[in-house]
């Protein structure tokens, strides 16, 4: 997939400190065009220039999906972060340009649901905000549960109450303890869908409560991000021509072959059609398969790779090509 | 370049025919001498000028005839256009996608004026000037999806994405190769493809579904599909089978060149931004065997593909009855020479 062909350019328009470790960024288009529309629950992948390399971090769009003149994201500093969130807290300034992907939605509302329960924990409020906005616009039946640690961290409670008056249930975990999913899920009517974004422990507790109560797994949704394209750089050697290239971090193996004028038939560029399959003769690293074409046996054999989406996690790949 | 729109019919006297230019740009689907299903999807990027891939939605010389044929079919059976209530945002997505694409790609024929949510749509070939408020269906003469697809060539299905699946929850289907929207409405991807032979066993639909679920905004994809139709008839629906089914028995080796048509579908898939649904366009191109034989390479290729087609596919595509006549007609154009790979006419 050519990740750069459709990359969007944005300018950081405004940075707001919402809490000691939470910053909100307002992004505006970096050229004369408006941003594309997006659906509630969508995220974008930011390309951040850190130490001469590009780091890719996914963030949910938290604003009004109908607005195309600006987008909003919020970033919590991850204590263990040496990458994206630290850069956004320490280096990012208004006026800077950044590249980002078009919106992708892997946390979409189910429009056939009879009732929607939105659950946010901490910074997990970001996709929930856009979903609440969308459900309010649609006139759908919904409720929002927003868990946070102390009032200082309830950074979007005011926005949420403005979007959905009388439907918001704040939950201060410092005062009230953990959100109890058993009673919350048990009282929902058939046909309800639940959407949760928060710390992993909270999501796990919710899913376990749902399973215990016999909720269909298809009615329990948690936020998913797309796996950022690219990966570790690696060497590729072509046995037939003796050519050798480096596949960089942000290009696919197929794109690298094409850039070097190595004729490689391809079609779907998404790991489904099988056209670009290449034979692996040797690999000093592990093959990272992202396709849906190869069977489990073919993957296990280590003899085949779909260069449009799959790569090596470093080292050298020798192809019969 | 200006398109010379024709007045023609896809029923009754069947005055439909392709100009030389239309034959030359026909999306002939066979790159080799045999055919089998595959995940033949590729990015729907801008193709060569004049080709059917040049624009997001192809408008050609048959535009007026196809819009009129759709109007006739809908007047007889309004159920050919249906949309479930949760698809209204997707309907607006489709209206915006088609209007902005046509206005961008065919400025002589279509114009879209936008001032906030106050839009005016101008369709010169159909002599329409429609002011409306985007998002307010009451300001359009019909629901948004029906409104715009009555003015666009090709059938359309909108698929809602949920449960890691795609559901055919809206459609405008008046030029279908023997399938029914009323029957398939609301079905999942596997359900509505269930009748297709062999492809399930090959894992085609599993892979196609996984690929499509990840389809991204601004990166549409396309594929070609094909079947055959007797007479240049767009409306070959199960609902009207008594009107066209018996035509299959009318084919002889003498008339096959004019009666038997290769029917190629340019299928396109677009992620829709507001709804996260997916637009599935099925744009139908018809060319008679005689028209295809303008290019000897195509006639010879089709002769070989039809001759070696697996029985299950002959049966599913409804070719069994007239295939021998078509093969006999085509055999005069196939001297057995080797044909290079590719779909080009020459």
């Amino acid at each position: 997939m050519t990740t750069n062909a459709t990359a969007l350019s944005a300018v950081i328009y405004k940075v707001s400190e919402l809490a000691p470790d939470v910053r909100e960024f307002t992004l505006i288009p970096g050229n004369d065009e408006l941003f594309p529309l997006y659906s509630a629950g969508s995220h974008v992948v930011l390309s951040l220039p850190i130490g001469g390399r590009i780091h890719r971090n996914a963030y949910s769009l938290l604003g009004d999906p109908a607005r195309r003149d600006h987008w909003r994201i919020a970033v919590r500093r991850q204590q263990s972060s040496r990458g994206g969130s630290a850069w956004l807290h320490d280096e990012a300034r208004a006026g800077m340009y950044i590249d980002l992907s078009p919106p992708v939605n892997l946390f979409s509302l189910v429009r056939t649901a009879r009732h929607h329960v939105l659950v946010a924990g901490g910074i997990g409020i970001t996709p929930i905000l856009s979903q609440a906005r969308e459900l309010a616009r649609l006139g759908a039946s919904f409720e929002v549960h927003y868990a946070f640690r102390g009032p200082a961290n309830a950074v979007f409670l005011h926005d949420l109450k403005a979007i959905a008056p009388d439907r918001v249930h704040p939950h201060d975990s410092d005062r009230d303890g953990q959100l109890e999913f058993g009673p919350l899920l048990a009282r929902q009517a058939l046909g309800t869908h639940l959407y949760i974004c928060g710390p992993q422990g909270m999501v796990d507790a919710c899913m376990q409560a749902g399973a215990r109560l016999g909720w269909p797994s298809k009615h329990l949704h948690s936020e998913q991000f797309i796996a950022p394209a690219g990966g570790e750089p690696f060497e590729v050697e072509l046995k037939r021509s003796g050519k050798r290239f480096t596949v960089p971090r942000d290009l696919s193996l197929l794109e690298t072959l094409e850039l070097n004028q190595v004729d490689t038939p391809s079609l779907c560029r998404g790991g489904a059609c099988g056209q670009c399959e290449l034979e692996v003769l040797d690999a000093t690293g592990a093959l990272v398969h992202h396709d849906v074409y190869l069977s489990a046996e073919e993957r296990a054999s280590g003899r085949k790779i779909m260069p449009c989406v799959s790569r090596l996690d470093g080292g050298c790949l020798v192809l019969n090509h | 370049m200006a398109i010379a729109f024709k007045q023609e019919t896809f029923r009754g006297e069947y005055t439909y025919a392709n100009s030389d230019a239309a034959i030359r740009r026909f999306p002939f689907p066979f790159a080799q001498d045999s055919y089998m299903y595959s995940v033949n999807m590729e990015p729907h990027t801008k193709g060569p000028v004049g080709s059917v891939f040049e624009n997001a939605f192809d408008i050609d010389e048959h535009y007026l005839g196809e819009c009129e044929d759709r109007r006739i079919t809908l007047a007889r059976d309004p159920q050919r256009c249906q949309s479930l209530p949760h698809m209204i945002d997707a309907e607006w997505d489709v209206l915006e996608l088609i209007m902005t694409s046509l206005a961008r790609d065919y400025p002589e024929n279509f114009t879209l004026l936008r001032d906030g949510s106050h839009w005016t749509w101008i369709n010169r070939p159909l002599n329409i000037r429609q002011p409306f408020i985007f998002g307010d269906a009451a300001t359009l003469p019909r629901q948004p999806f029906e409104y715009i697809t009555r003015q666009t060539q090709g059938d359309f299905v909108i698929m809602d994405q949920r449960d890691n699946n795609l559901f055919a929850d809206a459609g405008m289907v008046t030029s279908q190769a023997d399938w029914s929207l009323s029957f398939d409405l609301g079905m999942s991807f596997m359900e509505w493809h269930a009748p297709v032979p062999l492809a399930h066993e090959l894992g085609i639909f599993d892979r196609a579904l996984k690929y499509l679920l990840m389809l991204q905004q601004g990166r549409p994809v396309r594929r070609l599909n094909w079947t055959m139709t007797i007479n240049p008839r767009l409306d070959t629906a199960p609902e009207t089978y008594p009107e066209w089914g018996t035509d299959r028995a009318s084919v002889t080796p003498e008339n096959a060149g004019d009666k038997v048509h290769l029917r190629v579908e340019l299928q396109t898939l677009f992620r829709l931004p507001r709804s996260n649904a997916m637009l599935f366009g099925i744009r139908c191109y018809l060319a008679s065997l005689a028209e295809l034989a303008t290019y000897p390479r195509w006639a010879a290729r089709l002769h070989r593909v039809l001759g070696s087609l697996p029985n299950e596919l002959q049966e599913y595509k409804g070719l069994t009855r007239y295939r021998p006549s078509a093969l006999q007609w085509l055999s005069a154009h196939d001297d057995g020479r080797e044909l290079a790979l590719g779909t080009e006419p020459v």
Side-chain angles (χ1 to χ4, degrees):
Chain A
M1 294 202 180
T2 42
T3 44
N4 295 323
T6 52
L8 304 172
S9 168
V11 178
I12 300 175
Y13 179 73
K14 194 169 84 173
V15 184
S16 314
E17 308 288 340
L18 302 182
D21 59 353
V22 179
R23 279 183 138 191
E24 180 183 332
F25 295 84
T26 303
L27 308 173
I28 59 172
N31 50 35
D32 292 339
E33 294 181 19
L34 292 170
F35 283 136
L37 285 157
Y38 65 93
S39 52
S42 292
H43 66 273
V44 290
V45 179
L46 272 56
S47 297
L48 305 170
I50 304 171
R53 298 198 338 207
I54 298 294
H55 276 240
R56 292 206 165 83
N57 280 35
Y59 295 101
S60 300
L61 294 167
L62 65 87
D64 181 347
R67 294 300 295 261
R68 300 181 60 183
D69 57 345
H70 73 269
W71 281 348
R72 297 164 63 194
I73 60 169
V75 180
R76 179 170 184 266
R77 183 195 290 273
Q78 302 298 324
Q79 290 312 327
S80 57
S81 167
R82 286 180 295 130
S85 75
W87 188 88
L88 284 164
H89 274 263
D90 300 331
E91 309 289 336
R93 300 281 181 273
M96 284 182 172
Y97 278 78
I98 44 175
D99 283 341
L100 62 167
S101 72
V104 177
N105 197 346
L106 302 182
F107 193 39
S108 191
L109 293 166
V110 174
R111 286 160 187 263
T112 50
R114 299 288 192 276
H115 181 67
H116 305 261
V117 177
L118 308 180
V119 182
I123 195 64
I125 186 64
T126 54
I128 300 297
L129 272 170
S130 75
Q131 291 182 328
R133 222 180 287 270
E134 185 73 353
L135 291 170
R137 183 185 66 81
L138 291 168
S141 169
F142 72 103
E143 60 189 78
V144 191
H145 299 265
Y146 180 18
F148 45 81
R149 295 198 157 278
N153 287 310
V155 289
F156 287 109
L157 188 56
H158 181 76
D159 292 54
L160 201 54
K161 284 181 167 171
I163 294 164
D166 308 325
R167 297 172 188 270
V168 180
H169 305 267
H171 184 93
D172 184 343
S173 308
D174 279 353
R175 193 187 64 204
D176 307 327
Q178 299 295 314
L179 192 61
E180 290 290 334
F181 286 102
L184 172 61
L185 270 65
R187 67 167 178 267
Q188 301 300 333
L190 284 176
T192 300
H193 280 250
L194 180 142
Y195 313 80
I196 183 168
C197 184
Q200 194 58 46
M202 182 186 187
V203 173
D204 291 345
C206 177
M207 296 297 164
Q208 284 158 14
R212 210 165 47 238
L213 290 162
W215 273 54
S217 59
K218 288 174 176 176
H219 287 220
L220 295 165
H221 312 271
S222 63
E223 183 173 51
Q224 309 284 329
F225 289 140
I226 195 165
E232 290 300 309
F234 62 97
E235 297 294 305
V236 59
E237 187 183 315
L238 308 181
K239 201 70 188 174
R240 290 190 215 164
S241 61
K243 290 178 179 169
R244 194 180 169 100
F245 315 109
T246 301
V247 179
R249 192 173 292 278
D250 52 356
L251 284 185
S252 70
L253 173 52
L254 178 62
E255 287 167 335
T256 306
L257 294 172
E258 288 170 343
L259 277 177
N260 288 288
Q261 279 91 44
V262 179
D263 189 27
T264 309
S266 72
L267 194 62
C268 78
R269 305 182 83 85
C273 75
Q275 278 285 319
C276 67
E277 178 181 310
L278 294 175
E279 186 188 346
V280 176
L281 296 175
D282 196 16
T284 56
L287 292 168
V288 185
H289 294 288
H290 291 300
D291 65 279
V292 296
Y293 181 79
L294 296 177
S295 67
E297 298 77 46
E298 286 172 318
R299 285 185 177 203
S301 77
R303 310 315 295 177
K304 291 179 177 179
I305 188 167
M306 313 306 299
C308 60
V309 291
S310 301
R311 54 199 298 134
L312 200 69
D313 70 345
C316 184
L317 179 68
V318 183
L319 297 172
N320 185 16
H321 189 50
Chain B
M1 202 176 74
I3 305 168
F5 297 116
K6 300 162 78 173
Q7 296 288 346
E8 56 193 353
T9 59
F10 294 86
R11 58 184 79 213
E13 295 295 308
Y14 292 111
T15 62
Y16 172 92
N18 287 296
S19 67
D20 291 345
I23 296 172
R24 190 171 174 90
R25 76 196 293 274
F26 187 82
F28 189 77
F30 306 116
Q32 52 197 38
D33 289 348
S34 63
Y35 174 81
M36 183 35 78
Y37 292 117
S38 63
V39 180
N40 57 337
M41 287 189 278
E42 62 181 326
H44 186 36
T45 47
K46 208 169 173 59
V49 172
S51 75
V52 302
F53 307 126
E54 181 183 359
N55 296 312
F57 300 95
D58 183 41
I59 300 291
D60 67 10
E61 63 185 21
H62 307 298
Y63 178 73
L64 291 179
E66 290 192 30
C67 289
E68 173 60 12
D69 194 72
R70 167 158 289 165
R71 190 195 63 74
I72 296 168
T73 299
L74 286 166
R76 297 176 66 198
D77 181 3
Q79 296 294 94
R80 300 297 189 86
C81 182
Q82 298 187 58
S83 178
L84 296 178
H86 63 274
M87 299 303 281
I88 186 64
D89 279 338
E91 289 197 31
W92 286 108
D93 274 329
V94 172
L95 177 136
E96 179 174 23
L97 175 64
I98 294 179
M99 284 187 177
T100 54
S101 299
L102 294 186
R104 178 194 63 217
D105 297 336
Y106 304 93
E108 300 160 330
N109 293 307
F110 306 99
T111 302
L112 180 63
L113 305 172
R114 287 187 282 187
D115 177 12
S117 60
H118 290 261
W119 293 22
T120 299
W121 169 244
I122 299 166
N123 178 334
R124 292 181 195 87
L126 290 175
N127 200 21
I128 291 169
R129 183 186 176 92
Q130 177 68 52
F132 66 99
I133 295 171
F134 187 88
D136 181 357
T139 61
L140 280 172
R142 300 180 188 279
Q143 289 294 298
F145 175 61
E146 178 171 355
Y147 179 77
I148 194 57
T149 53
R150 275 178 178 262
Q151 302 176 42
T152 315
Q153 287 172 271
D155 283 349
F156 292 94
V157 173
I158 318 179
M159 301 187 289
D160 190 32
Q161 182 161 336
R162 56 181 193 270
D163 302 346
N164 265 329
N165 211 325
L166 294 165
F167 294 84
D169 285 350
M172 166 65 94
V173 180
T174 64
S175 54
Q176 67 272 57
D178 201 7
W179 67 278
S180 163
L181 176 68
S182 289
F183 187 76
D184 287 357
L185 189 74
M187 283 190 183
S188 72
F189 191 79
M190 293 302 170
E191 286 170 335
W192 65 307
H193 286 106
V196 182
L198 304 179
H200 292 272
E201 294 85 327
L202 294 169
I204 302 274
F205 294 114
D206 287 324
R207 296 207 298 276
L209 177 60
K210 283 177 186 159
Y211 179 74
L212 291 177
L213 289 172
M214 297 303 289
L215 186 68
Q216 292 182 36
Q217 253 196 74
R219 292 187 195 171
V221 297
R222 66 175 173 237
R223 69 180 286 259
L224 294 179
N225 191 24
W226 71 279
T227 185
M228 302 189 96
T229 303
I230 304 310
N231 298 323
R233 187 178 174 99
L234 290 174
D235 173 29
T236 50
E239 287 88 342
T240 51
Y241 185 81
E243 297 173 22
W244 55 269
T246 53
D247 292 348
R248 291 170 175 173
S250 70
V251 181
T252 65
E254 292 71 38
N255 69 18
D258 296 321
K259 276 211 169 261
V260 178
H261 287 69
L262 181 60
R263 183 184 190 109
V264 176
E265 295 174 349
L266 167 55
Q267 302 185 344
T268 51
L269 294 130
F270 298 81
R271 173 69 68 194
L272 299 172
R274 283 176 190 77
S275 55
N276 203 39
M278 196 176 297
L279 178 64
F280 177 31
I282 309 153
R283 175 74 164 79
C284 172
Y285 297 84
L286 291 164
S288 67
L289 300 187
E291 287 176 331
L292 292 172
T294 309
Y295 299 103
R297 198 174 123 81
W298 280 356
R301 178 82 88 207
L302 182 56
H303 180 243
R304 297 172 198 184
V305 169
L306 267 191
S308 60
L309 197 66
N311 287 335
E312 294 91 334
L313 269 70
Q314 295 174 34
E315 189 72 25
Y316 175 64
K317 291 178 185 290
L319 318 180
T320 314
R321 181 140 195 176
Y322 57 84
R323 195 180 70 115
S325 294
L327 282 173
Q328 197 174 329
W329 192 91
L330 288 166
S331 65
H333 298 269
D334 187 0
D335 59 8
R337 71 191 182 284
E338 191 165 327
L339 298 174
L341 286 180
T343 57
E344 304 79 10
V346 283

